Amino acid sequence: MMATSIETGLTAIEVAKRLQDDGINELPRAHSRTPFRILLEVVSEPMLGLILAGAVIYLLLGDWKEALILLVLALMSVVITVYQEARTERVLEALRDLASPRALVIRDGTRTRIAGRDVVRGDIVVVSEGDRIPADAVLRRSTDLQADESLLTGESVPVRKSEQRDGADVAPSRPGGDGLPFVYSGSLVVRGHGIAEVFATGARSELGKIGQALSAVKTESPHLQRQMRWLVRLFAVIGIAVSALAVVLFGLLRGGWLEALLNGIALGMSMLPEEFPVILTVFMAMGAWRISRARVLTRKGTAIEALGSATVLCTDKTGTLTQNRMSIAELRLPDGTPWRGENSRQLPERFHSLAEFGLLASAREPFDPMEKAFHELAGNHVRPRQDFNLERVYPLRPELLAMTHVWTSAGNGKVIAAKGAPEAIAKLCGLDEAQRQRLSQMIDEMAAEGKRVLAVASGAWEGESWPVSHTEFKFELLGLVGLADPLRPGVPEAVAECRTAGIRVVMITGDYPATALAIAAQAGLEKSDVITGSELASMDDSQLAARLGQVNVFARILPEQKLRIVEALKSAGHVVAMTGDGVNDAPSLRAANIGVAMGGRGTDVAREASAIVLLDDDFSSIVKAIRLGRRIYDNIRKALGFVMAVHVPIAGVALMPIIFGLPTMLGPVHIAFLEMVIDPICSLVFEAEPEERDVMARPPRSPSEPLFPTSMIAWSFVQGALVLVVAIGAFFLGYQRSMPENEIRALVYFALVFSFISLVFVNRSYSASLLTAFTRPNATLAIVLSIIAVVLAASLLWPVASQLFKFGPLHGDDIIITVICGAVVLLTLEFLKPRFVARRSTQA
């Protein structure tokens, strides 16, 4: 591996040859779906095809206005879908951008700043604090270098690095190892500096392997979309069959095959389910808007319905449950006296030396998150000494994981401060066996609470010149410091609400088991065993499946193992939501049914791979989104149930004259009004409906549960059949009273409209009473009822409208009859509803 001279680096000829052999330092471009290809896929969708078919039928009937409306809806659907799908193709572009920072390399003996994409295998790269590593490399020279590899491991604590010893041949390891000489593409140097030799670029780097895994993940067709397709096809088949039957019956019974064909087309219009895709589009768009008000961005509309069916929420620890920043949570004196910051605003005087010397053992302008925590603690409780000058630094060494800073000042002389691993500080202080055991006990207690433990000591030196090693100082132990990545506010409440809603929360982290279990306990996850990455690697799929039900914490997990856990949960029948913010989360975010990225701290890669993004990084926003997702799915069912019910009487009234040789009651104008005005407007009413009372007190619906189960289809048919019976009754009542044909048509039409209004109130809620359906506020419903009243009045009183609809005048008693028709429908269905949907609210 060590083949290039660190003094001269590669020559221009060697660089050119390796660029030709290995390619540039970028992720390989996948065969991305172009906008044109996406457009072809969208146009081939059955739902869009039916919308266009409906437009063609309207054109054949000469009704170009309705055809234009459908074409505009189709165009909007295409544009929105193509735009959303094209955005998802940008995920690998985000990976490429992250993988290609600027790099300082040594070539031909000269230090040169080049684009990261031009780095080649064998390049000598100079890295220092604040630099992003351009490729996987091995350290040839290193001084106190630490790297933040959280984008690759999910672990927020920086990893200490050491240079590779001369003659040593250590095989490259995975990211996250302390004391190893390897640095990785995309990671950030937070301390120190070094010189490294590149051994892997582009797709061969650890970051590149994640990108390849991401591009290989196949996304599934959403459950709601599949169910909607099934419903559309079912209605299309029924509509074609009934239309064909009507043509044959009309031709055989009444002659005139051309007229029979026209009547068949009109009947087909009455049964075409063009409202279904319109409802789905409207509900998804409005749902995305409502969810955005909860600070959640919906990148894929289909994720909205999946939110309501989520059964497992897989969450990363760092940056998701926690704040991805280190803070000092506890101080302990050598005698065991503790101070916990959350329990006290003031730091007692006896802890001041511990806080002050921890600060003095840190950089004056820190980049390391842990050293920032020391500055924050001291800034809140200890007055900093501005007149100190840093004379000497003794950095961390692999053989002694402690660092010492020597300060001088005019008034205080020499001040020596050290901090580091407790065992290293214990060695510097020369603790005896009893003191070491007492210290070890305190360390274990703090580590069990998920804290990273450091020790702090003060030193003394009487010599005139500084020693070669800080082991020659005489140190005194000042105490222990427990650092923690604090839990996000509101996380325990959000986890508790998930549990109430029947959603299992699973933590998947790259952190150590003790820390993971401690954070899980603080967050309120159900107590369970823990599976580590090494244990997971030794399990086959059947063993993992057997353990999945009992384990809620996975620790020391590698990126590809996250993906395996998500896939295993999906194979077990779960609908999986996965949260994350790092590059390492991208494959599992994309593989999950619902990928949830953090918008503030999250990487571009994570956001682009996800279905929804939490704009405020608030874990509790996930619960709000789930609540809204369940509400939206409930309301979609209500809207579809209403539309299915409406089609039955429309088709029945249109078919009745054909079968019985009666005058035509509903022509294309009436059908177009009922379907293109009342249906979508009433669907908007359902979209605005408040959530059911038990929306978060019931378990998630089964992933295999159909959008519209048999019981709900039967309920819709019963509703439609009752309205049809009432409409037929109105027809024969008018016929018996010898009313003119145009008055009977108006009577039947008004009876249908009032019955449809009754259906709206019946379907407003599956768990509330009829009184609630009338009193629960819904501004959209009030607007819809006002519009319907104006249109009905105009159809009777405005001559142009009455001629268009071919309506005759209705008298007061006729209006009363139509209102009674609506009341009969309302009361009858309210009586029957518990027999069909008694368990609906616990199944949805």
Side-chain angles (χ1 to χ4, degrees):
M1 183 179 297
M2 300 170 61
T4 308
S5 168
I6 63 173
E7 286 79 20
T8 61
L10 296 176
T11 65
I13 296 176
E14 290 173 324
V15 169
K17 184 177 185 304
R18 296 188 186 194
L19 271 175
Q20 183 178 5
D21 293 342
D22 299 339
I24 59 177
N25 184 30
E26 283 187 342
L27 298 184
R29 294 182 180 270
H31 297 292
S32 60
R33 297 160 65 218
T34 63
F36 180 72
R37 181 178 175 184
I38 296 172
L39 177 63
L40 291 179
E41 293 176 3
V42 173
V43 171
S44 65
E45 286 289 327
M47 290 188 291
L48 182 62
L50 283 169
I51 293 179
L52 296 175
V56 171
I57 291 175
Y58 279 115
L59 285 174
L60 291 175
L61 291 171
D63 196 338
W64 61 270
K65 292 182 181 179
E66 301 300 340
L68 183 61
I69 291 175
L70 279 181
L71 288 173
V72 169
L73 285 173
L75 180 61
M76 289 176 58
S77 176
V78 169
V79 170
I80 292 172
T81 305
V82 171
Y83 173 72
Q84 290 286 359
E85 291 293 330
R87 289 180 65 190
T88 64
E89 295 302 314
R90 288 164 37 197
V91 62
L92 289 179
E93 292 294 336
L95 268 174
R96 277 190 284 273
D97 292 341
L98 182 59
S100 187
R102 300 287 293 176
L104 179 62
V105 299
I106 300 175
R107 289 181 178 175
D108 290 319
T110 303
R111 294 193 177 195
T112 306
R113 183 77 63 178
I114 63 173
R117 67 195 306 272
D118 295 329
V119 172
V120 299
R121 177 174 46 84
D123 254 329
I124 300 299
V125 181
V126 181
V127 295
S128 58
E129 187 174 295
D131 288 344
R132 194 170 291 279
I133 306 297
D136 291 2
V138 58
L139 286 169
R140 300 278 298 276
R141 297 287 183 271
S142 173
T143 302
D144 193 21
L145 193 143
Q146 296 183 28
D148 177 1
E149 297 178 350
S150 61
L151 292 181
L152 296 167
T153 66
E155 171 53 51
S156 59
V157 177
V159 180
R160 178 181 50 82
K161 301 294 182 180
S162 62
E163 65 186 53
Q164 185 168 9
R165 299 180 184 275
D166 293 339
D169 189 14
V170 181
S173 65
R174 302 306 303 271
D178 250 333
L180 294 174
F182 304 105
V183 290
Y184 299 93
S185 177
S187 59
L188 187 68
V189 179
V190 298
R191 186 184 184 90
H193 55 86
I195 298 175
E197 179 182 344
V198 173
F199 64 83
T201 61
R204 289 168 291 278
S205 68
E206 290 298 319
L207 183 63
K209 293 173 184 177
I210 293 176
Q212 289 182 315
L214 181 60
S215 63
V217 173
K218 303 295 183 182
T219 54
E220 298 180 359
S221 176
H223 180 66
L224 179 58
Q225 194 176 62
R226 295 196 301 270
Q227 291 293 315
M228 187 67 78
R229 288 175 182 172
W230 177 82
L231 278 176
V232 168
R233 288 171 181 150
L234 175 64
F235 266 71
V237 169
I238 294 174
I240 291 172
V242 172
S243 297
L245 178 63
V247 171
V248 173
L249 289 175
F250 192 97
L252 293 177
L253 298 177
R254 303 176 64 174
W257 289 97
L258 181 58
E259 186 180 356
L261 181 61
L262 293 175
N263 276 275
I265 292 175
L267 182 59
M269 286 174 54
S270 70
M271 302 192 69
L272 267 177
E274 73 271 11
E275 301 95 343
F276 286 1
V278 173
I279 287 172
L280 186 60
T281 301
V282 169
F283 274 64
M284 293 298 104
M286 293 296 294
W289 173 74
R290 293 187 186 279
I291 289 179
S292 70
R293 298 176 70 185
R295 303 291 296 158
V296 178
L297 173 64
T298 305
R299 296 189 63 255
K300 300 176 184 177
T302 50
I304 295 174
E305 63 92 8
L307 274 172
S309 62
T311 58
V312 175
L313 174 56
C314 294
T315 175
D316 189 23
K317 177 185 72 69
T318 304
T320 306
L321 291 177
T322 65
Q323 299 178 29
N324 197 22
R325 67 175 182 86
M326 300 303 292
S327 66
I328 294 178
E330 182 179 358
L331 300 178
R332 284 206 189 191
L333 299 178
D335 62 4
T337 304
W339 174 85
R340 292 179 173 86
E342 70 272 14
N343 296 329
S344 175
R345 293 186 177 181
Q346 289 296 325
L347 182 68
E349 183 69 29
R350 60 189 305 195
F351 289 91
H352 280 202
S353 293
L354 177 55
E356 182 180 10
F357 276 82
L359 173 66
L360 292 172
S362 304
R364 178 160 274 174
E365 296 182 359
F367 199 83
D368 185 307
M370 289 188 292
E371 295 199 338
K372 287 182 179 179
F374 277 97
H375 274 260
E376 181 181 358
L377 175 70
N380 292 336
H381 299 286
V382 180
R383 186 174 64 184
R385 301 185 182 184
Q386 300 294 341
D387 59 335
F388 275 27
N389 295 312
L390 183 62
E391 289 289 327
R392 181 148 186 184
V393 174
Y394 295 88
L396 289 166
R397 294 295 181 190
E399 62 275 9
L400 188 67
L401 299 179
M403 63 187 307
T404 300
H405 286 182
V406 178
W407 302 81
T408 59
S409 71
N412 295 280
K414 304 169 185 175
V415 177
I416 303 169
K419 77 174 190 301
E423 59 272 17
I425 296 297
K427 181 179 179 181
L428 289 176
C429 295
L431 300 184
D432 59 30
E433 185 61 29
Q435 291 172 319
R436 287 175 183 267
Q437 290 183 358
R438 174 60 179 158
L439 188 68
S440 178
Q441 181 181 353
M442 290 192 295
I443 293 170
D444 291 341
E445 292 173 358
M446 296 171 72
E449 297 174 352
K451 299 182 179 74
R452 182 179 177 89
V453 184
L454 298 178
V456 177
S458 62
W461 178 249
E462 300 298 334
E464 295 184 2
S465 61
W466 302 119
V468 175
S469 171
H470 53 166
T471 57
E472 299 181 38
F473 290 118
K474 183 179 181 181
F475 284 101
E476 178 186 357
L477 178 66
L478 296 179
L480 298 176
V481 179
L483 296 106
D485 188 0
L487 207 64
R488 286 185 177 275
V491 166
E493 293 79 5
V495 171
E497 193 165 1
C498 284
R499 186 182 299 111
T500 302
I503 301 170
R504 177 181 162 202
V505 180
V506 173
M507 179 197 293
I508 305 174
T509 179
D511 212 338
Y512 290 95
T515 304
L517 286 172
I519 293 295
Q522 294 174 31
L525 270 67
E526 295 182 14
K527 292 184 179 180
S528 71
D529 196 3
V530 59
I531 291 180
T532 63
S534 57
E535 290 175 315
L536 182 63
S538 65
M539 295 180 181
D540 57 29
D541 290 344
S542 60
Q543 291 173 322
L544 176 58
R547 294 284 303 279
L548 273 180
Q550 292 79 39
V551 176
N552 293 325
V553 178
F554 293 82
R556 303 302 287 169
I557 297 297
L558 300 174
E560 60 269 25
Q561 291 178 320
K562 290 185 179 184
L563 180 59
R564 185 185 175 195
I565 294 168
V566 170
E567 296 287 6
L569 288 167
K570 289 170 63 178
S571 298
H574 290 289
V575 175
V576 181
M578 168 72 189
T579 71
D581 59 0
V583 174
N584 62 308
D585 297 320
S588 49
L589 283 172
R590 189 167 181 178
N593 301 96
I594 313 135
V596 184
M598 298 298 163
R601 297 178 183 270
T603 62
D604 288 342
V605 177
R607 288 192 289 269
E608 290 293 334
S610 65
I612 63 175
V613 178
L614 304 184
L615 297 178
D616 55 6
D617 286 7
D618 188 349
F619 184 83
S620 61
S621 295
I622 302 174
V623 180
K624 297 177 185 176
I626 290 173
R627 176 186 293 271
L628 286 169
R630 290 190 174 191
R631 166 190 165 178
I632 291 165
Y633 194 87
D634 280 352
N635 290 344
I636 286 177
R637 275 186 160 179
K638 294 172 185 177
L640 293 180
F642 170 79
V643 170
M644 290 176 70
V646 163
H647 272 282
V648 174
I650 292 177
V653 173
L655 187 61
M656 184 178 64
I658 298 175
I659 298 176
F660 299 105
L662 299 172
T664 301
M665 291 291 102
L666 297 181
V669 173
H670 309 98
I671 295 173
F673 175 78
L674 288 173
E675 293 192 359
M676 301 305 297
V677 179
I678 293 182
D679 289 1
I681 289 179
C682 288
S683 297
L684 289 175
V685 170
F686 290 117
E687 193 285 326
E689 275 298 305
E691 64 195 37
E692 297 281 345
R693 293 176 301 181
D694 61 347
V695 68
M696 290 298 284
R698 65 190 187 219
R701 63 184 181 275
S702 170
S704 60
E705 180 184 344
L707 172 63
F708 235 62
T710 305
S711 61
M712 296 305 298
I713 294 176
W715 174 232
S716 293
F717 180 79
V718 167
Q719 295 178 73
L722 178 60
V723 174
L724 177 59
V725 169
V726 168
I728 292 174
F731 175 86
F732 281 107
L733 182 60
Y735 188 79
Q736 186 179 19
R737 295 170 61 189
S738 301
M739 294 174 64
E741 179 181 323
N742 57 356
E743 292 184 14
I744 294 178
R745 182 177 292 108
L747 186 71
V748 171
Y749 195 81
F750 272 57
L752 280 174
V753 171
F754 284 124
S755 296
F756 291 164
I757 293 173
S758 296
L759 293 186
V760 173
F761 284 99
V762 168
N763 288 281
R764 282 193 70 187
S765 175
Y766 290 121
S767 61
S769 65
L770 180 60
L771 179 62
T772 303
F774 276 101
T775 57
R776 187 164 57 183
N778 187 328
T780 307
L781 176 59
I783 295 172
V784 166
L785 293 180
S786 301
I787 293 174
I788 291 176
V790 170
V791 172
L792 289 180
S795 67
L796 288 179
L797 303 177
W798 186 26
V800 175
S802 60
Q803 290 178 8
L804 177 65
F805 283 96
K806 298 180 182 178
F807 285 168
L810 290 181
H811 304 92
D813 56 344
D814 299 326
I815 299 295
I816 292 175
I817 290 174
T818 60
V819 172
I820 291 174
C821 288
V824 168
V825 169
L826 178 64
L827 296 175
T828 304
L829 292 178
E830 195 63 26
F831 173 76
L832 295 174
K833 183 162 63 173
R835 291 156 177 76
F836 285 89
V837 293
R839 294 184 299 275
R840 166 67 183 85
S841 62
T842 60
Q843 294 173 342

